[in-house]
Amino acid sequence: MKKVLLAGAVALFGLSNAQIAKGTTYLSGQVGYSSTQDNNTDAKVEDFTIVPTVGYFVGNNVAVGLGVGYANSSTTSTSALTNVETKLSTDAFVVAPFVRKYWTVGEKFYIFGQLEVPMAFGRDKAEYSGTAAQFNTESKFTSIGVNVKPGVDYFLNKNWSIEATIGEFGYNNFKYKDLDKSTDNFNFGLNFISVTFGVKYVFC
């Protein structure tokens, strides 16, 4: 039995010497859009994110990189009692430097761990309009965090791969510019519902 388990472990982890070579560059990124419409209340929620990413392997299976992009979310609703329409929106410029370490599982299959420092600089805006009055509010904010993301990467060929991250472990500090206090958020645990997929192009 021990020989069978040892042979299985070697087959899974030990037979492949495939590595992503030092000096390799890749392009990847995140693009997402979602829209939810509640027909009972006429409330609508939209989210849009685009964060292109470039990575460079400073060593075999070790890459550093940077993601730069934009994120927007908005919620629109109308009160049936007051007939006041409310629109809440968030716009943010996103910057995320990272370092990623790969471990070889097979010739085309890798697992990785990614340490990143996501930062967002943006504003929250609220717009209220109705028959009696109309006014707007706006608040600028800064968000800085440290996250560790586990993931998998499968190479379709030498240039293209499909990758996925599963949850994240980390810390985030959120602060409005006009307020003295900030909000600290901690997130620890794998969330198998929240899985993100991406496509990567590798320059060989």
Side-chain angles (χ1 to χ4, degrees):
M1 184 64 181
K2 291 182 178 179
K3 291 182 179 180
V4 174
L5 293 176
L6 179 60
V10 171
L12 183 59
F13 295 104
L15 293 182
S16 177
N17 293 318
Q19 291 184 328
I20 305 174
K22 177 182 178 180
T24 302
T25 302
Y26 71 84
L27 293 177
S28 184
Q30 176 186 357
V31 178
Y33 173 78
S34 65
S35 178
T36 304
Q37 178 80 45
D38 189 333
N39 294 322
N40 295 315
T41 62
D42 288 330
K44 185 176 182 180
V45 180
E46 291 183 291
D47 292 286
F48 173 73
T49 303
I50 179 168
V51 185
T53 301
V54 60
Y56 177 79
F57 282 81
V58 295
N60 292 339
N61 284 356
V62 179
V64 296
L66 179 68
V68 178
Y70 168 76
N72 170 269
S73 64
S74 64
T75 302
T76 304
S77 61
T78 302
S79 172
L81 296 177
T82 62
N83 199 33
V84 174
E85 183 183 70
T86 302
K87 183 176 181 180
L88 307 176
S89 62
T90 299
D91 295 280
F93 173 68
V94 179
V95 181
F98 66 88
V99 59
R100 178 183 288 191
K101 168 64 178 176
Y102 282 85
W103 290 271
T104 305
V105 176
E107 183 179 356
K108 297 182 178 181
F109 185 59
Y110 299 80
I111 60 175
F112 63 81
Q114 178 170 299
L115 173 66
E116 67 176 10
V117 183
M119 295 173 279
F121 309 92
R123 65 176 183 175
D124 285 341
K125 188 176 181 180
E127 302 176 58
Y128 305 92
S129 59
T131 55
Q134 180 174 337
F135 64 95
N136 303 328
T137 63
E138 182 176 310
S139 300
K140 294 183 179 181
F141 67 83
T142 301
S143 174
I144 300 177
V146 178
N147 294 329
V148 175
K149 293 184 177 182
V152 296
D153 203 340
Y154 180 78
F155 277 76
L156 303 174
N157 53 49
K158 67 177 183 178
N159 295 112
W160 292 98
S161 78
I162 298 175
E163 63 181 34
T165 59
I166 306 171
E168 64 183 29
F169 306 80
Y171 161 79
N172 175 267
N173 177 269
F174 183 94
K175 185 179 185 304
Y176 283 110
K177 181 180 179 181
D178 298 330
L179 298 181
D180 294 331
K181 295 184 178 180
S182 60
T183 301
D184 296 319
N185 299 297
F186 297 88
N187 184 20
F188 296 98
L190 290 175
N191 186 350
F192 292 98
I193 298 177
S194 178
V195 179
T196 61
F197 293 92
V199 178
K200 181 162 77 272
Y201 181 81
V202 179
F203 295 90
C204 297

